Amino acid sequence: MSEKKEIQGAASFDLGAFLTKYSMVIALVIVFILFYFLTGGRLLYAQNMSNLLLQNGYVLVMACGMLLCILTGGNIDLSVGSVICMVGGVAAVMINNMGVNIYLTILLCLVLGLAAGVWQGYWIGHVRIPPFITTLGGMFIFRGIGRLVLDSKTVPVQDAAFLNIFTAYIKIPGLDTDTRILSPLVVGILAVVVIFYTTISSRANKAKKGYRQNSAVTDFGRSALISAAVLAYCYLLSQYKGISVMLVWVVVICLIYHFITSKTAFGRYFYAVGGNEKATQLSGINTNKVYFIAYANMGLLAGLCGLLCLARVGSVNGSTGTSFEMDAIGSCFIGGASAYGGSGTIPGVIIGALLLGVINMGMSIMGIGDSWQYVVKGGVLLVAVIFDVVSNRKSGK
């Protein structure tokens, strides 16, 4: 009888751990199914699915940088929306009004975004001004600079070469024609091969080193579900215009930061600082440098987002980027980043951004106004943070 209770207890514990680990994935699936029925299936239209990532591309890019800031102790950067306005405004004026070469413009604008991040990183990392105060000041400063550059006007950009760098759709000769687009399916198949190869090699490496690992059913089942989602999405892309260059930018940025945070010693420094800064200092890590790099990096990514938003919309004004930082912060916390720092992953951030994106798109298709969208997004964010705080309290963290 006691053995039976122990087995049931173990099974219950495993179920609880599973629900905790994949809570946001389950929430994403539930929200997706809910809006699928509420929109009469329109959510799954090829054009809507293509736009889902394109409209939230800037969120994903910003969230990768915001995660590094949050990892250092729950810190955030309130200035990224203003940096987007400033960088986008400078790019628009240089291209449209001054006729500067687009490649030189892109380079200078990325340097400008990096400079804004370095400015804030210095005060936060070396002078130790609280990040909230520093970035709040930056939010006003950079927004003001952006409006001065734009002269309180809306500046359009119609340079086809610049727009194509960020918004064109990829056409592969031999695979894609005006009536047939096969490249997304080929990319999807290659992605599935990479997913299963990674799973197999990871299991083999862990077995060789004697590490504990999940059952084969768990690992390959997860890979099969991810592969099915990738193939379904690629199929929908093939029914619309194919793969956008902006999607490539987003995927590359996410992969780079996933590698940094999960596979490099430098990436682990951010987790260490958020977990216990004093212990990290005693171990010989320069925590001032970690803070500095986190915010300098955030400025660089905000600069890139300024260019992405300019190309996506085709113009920029003094209100561009307003509340963008909140979407990035929300994506991180909804995706499992701890409000106390020290934990969070890029895959979790992607889930959080997609969850917000599905909510926005679903409500837009239903004709629900922006006011209610803010209410729902705020509620989702609050629930995610409450879940994190309660979970940490129960685990004694």
Side-chain angles (χ1 to χ4, degrees), residues 330-341:
S331 298
C332 292
F333 286 133
I334 292 172
S338 174
Y340 303 107

Side-chain angles (χ1 to χ4, degrees), residues 70-92:
I70 292 174
L71 289 176
T72 60
N75 302 306
I76 57 176
D77 188 339
L78 295 173
S79 69
V80 289
S82 298
V83 174
I84 287 173
C85 175
M86 179 180 69
V87 171
V90 170

Side-chain angles (χ1 to χ4, degrees), residues 81-143:
S82 298
V83 174
I84 287 173
C85 175
M86 179 180 69
V87 171
V90 170
V93 170
M94 290 179 69
I95 295 173
N96 189 69
N97 298 353
M98 302 172 62
V100 179
N101 178 273
I102 60 169
Y103 299 104
L104 178 60
T105 298
I106 292 173
L107 177 62
L108 291 177
C109 286
L110 291 177
V111 172
L112 177 61
L114 177 61
V118 167
W119 164 262
Q120 297 190 132
Y122 169 76
W123 296 112
I124 294 170
H126 296 285
V127 184
R128 286 305 179 121
I129 305 298
F132 182 87
I133 300 300
T134 303
T135 59
L136 180 63
M139 180 176 70
F140 293 116
I141 293 171
F142 301 135
R143 177 72 62 181

Side-chain angles (χ1 to χ4, degrees), residues 322-385:
T322 302
S323 79
F324 280 15
E325 61 276 356
M326 298 307 170
D327 288 333
I329 294 168
S331 298
C332 292
F333 286 133
I334 292 172
S338 174
Y340 303 107
S343 67
T345 64
I346 295 298
V349 165
I350 294 173
I351 295 298
L354 289 178
L355 181 59
L356 286 179
V358 171
I359 291 173
N360 287 337
M361 178 169 286
M363 290 193 293
S364 296
I365 294 173
M366 294 173 64
I368 298 175
D370 291 342
S371 300
W372 279 108
Q373 292 186 29
Y374 279 114
V375 171
V376 173
K377 287 195 295 184
V380 171
L381 174 59
L382 181 60
V383 169
V385 174

Side-chain angles (χ1 to χ4, degrees), residues 7 14 70 89 94 99 108 117 132 140 147 156 167 180 184 189 197 203 247 273 333 337 341 365 382:
I7 293 173
D14 291 340
I70 292 174
M94 290 179 69
L108 291 177
F132 182 87
F140 293 116
R147 291 182 175 177
T167 62
R180 182 194 65 190
I189 293 171
Y197 173 78
R203 288 185 59 82
L247 178 59
V273 171
F333 286 133
I365 294 173
L382 181 60

Side-chain angles (χ1 to χ4, degrees), residues 23-33 350-351 354-355 358:
S23 57
M24 287 301 108
V25 177
I26 296 171
L28 176 61
V29 173
I30 292 173
V31 168
F32 195 95
I33 294 173
I350 294 173
I351 295 298
L354 289 178
L355 181 59
V358 171

